[in-house]
Amino acid sequence: MEEKTMTADTPNDTRSSVSRRTFIKGVIASGAVVSSAGYLWRSSAVLGQQPSARGSVERLMTLNGNGKDRRVDVLKQETLATTLRYNLGLTGTKLGCDRVECGACTVLVDDVPHYSCSVLTQTVRGKKIVTIEGLAADNGTLHPVQQGVIDEQGFQCAFCMSGFVMSAVGYLKTNPNPTRAELAHGVSGNLCRCQDYDKILTALMRGAENMRKA
Ligand code: FES
Ligand code: FES
């Protein structure tokens, strides 16, 4: 069957035709380049070799994370998940899909759960960010929801755990005494690849109970 073709204007206004297959290959290739560039940037940042750039002063911002103000150098297109993990070392925030599907990267922004992989760090100036590392008390006492996870052993590999806990903590601020169905709905934006949902929900319900007793 003959392939359908698309045409595009070039900057000097000549017409070129691109087959659909060629076009898709190009999109996939450019996505791979962007991903690689991200890892290259992360590597150089870790090694302290990030080159200075024009306008870099504008990238400096104060990020309030877990109750502390920290000065960070943030690219305009950088996500909060990247800043937390690779700039501040808060690796309890996990990157599962990095495209708003799994909830592993959930953190609280002004007490509301957000997928940090879809939030640009430059947009959270002046807001309070809380990650899983910021839930325990200064003396090390776990947050009641974290304690609920310990009490019920609610996860298998636990890769999804910090996202579920942050979602539950955010939801319980709005509904401290939920039914099991309500809490399930409250954390329904989070996925578990081990599919241990029943135990996870039991652990989070225990966490809610712990919160009410605290
Ligand atoms: S890593 Fe953010 S939603 Fe999956
Ligand atoms: S316990 Fe393994 S992904 Fe949820």
Side-chain angles (χ1 to χ4, degrees):
M1 195 167 69
E2 189 181 345
E3 278 188 297
K4 290 190 177 158
T5 61
M6 288 184 281
T7 61
D9 288 336
T10 61
N12 58 9
D13 208 28
T14 58
R15 309 279 297 179
S16 68
S17 73
V18 184
S19 76
R20 184 168 178 275
R21 184 171 301 163
T22 310
F23 175 77
I24 290 170
K25 276 184 188 167
V27 170
I28 291 170
S30 59
V33 168
V34 168
S35 300
S36 305
Y39 283 113
L40 282 174
W41 173 78
R42 287 168 193 169
S43 305
S44 61
V46 167
L47 294 171
Q49 295 169 346
Q50 195 173 351
S52 59
R54 282 180 60 201
S56 60
V57 173
E58 294 162 21
R59 301 184 341 203
L60 287 173
M61 62 174 281
T62 300
L63 183 70
N64 186 283
N66 297 332
K68 292 184 192 143
D69 281 343
R70 308 156 198 244
R71 290 291 282 170
V72 283
D73 181 7
V74 178
L75 296 171
K76 274 198 285 190
Q77 71 275 25
E78 185 171 319
T79 65
L80 183 55
T82 299
T83 306
L84 292 171
R85 286 181 57 82
Y86 300 103
N87 206 326
L88 299 180
L90 297 171
T91 53
T93 299
K94 303 301 182 196
L95 272 174
C97 62
D98 205 5
R99 57 179 190 187
V100 202
E101 286 179 357
C102 73
C105 61
T106 303
V107 299
L108 301 185
V109 179
D110 283 348
D111 287 340
V112 178
H114 282 71
Y115 291 159
S116 61
C117 72
S118 71
V119 174
L120 292 177
T121 309
Q122 294 281 3
T123 67
V124 300
R125 289 170 190 264
K127 299 188 176 178
K128 281 190 319 177
I129 312 302
V130 178
T131 70
I132 191 83
E133 290 92 343
L135 288 186
D138 288 343
N139 66 4
T141 304
L142 292 178
H143 186 281
V145 175
Q146 290 174 305
Q147 189 58 50
V149 172
I150 303 283
D151 295 342
E152 297 290 344
Q153 296 292 300
F155 291 81
Q156 290 188 35
C157 77
F159 187 83
C160 63
M161 183 189 67
S162 50
F164 267 102
V165 168
M166 297 312 294
S167 288
V169 169
Y171 177 74
L172 291 169
K173 286 177 188 290
T174 64
N175 181 6
N177 192 11
T179 64
R180 195 174 171 90
E182 286 170 340
L183 187 53
H185 189 258
V187 298
S188 60
N190 292 68
L191 301 178
C192 171
R193 288 164 181 77
C194 300
Q195 305 201 5
D196 210 8
Y197 293 110
D198 197 50
K199 268 169 58 189
I200 290 171
L201 206 46
T202 299
L204 298 180
M205 285 296 284
R206 174 70 82 97
E209 190 184 325
N210 291 345
M211 276 183 78
R212 292 193 297 277
K213 287 181 186 162

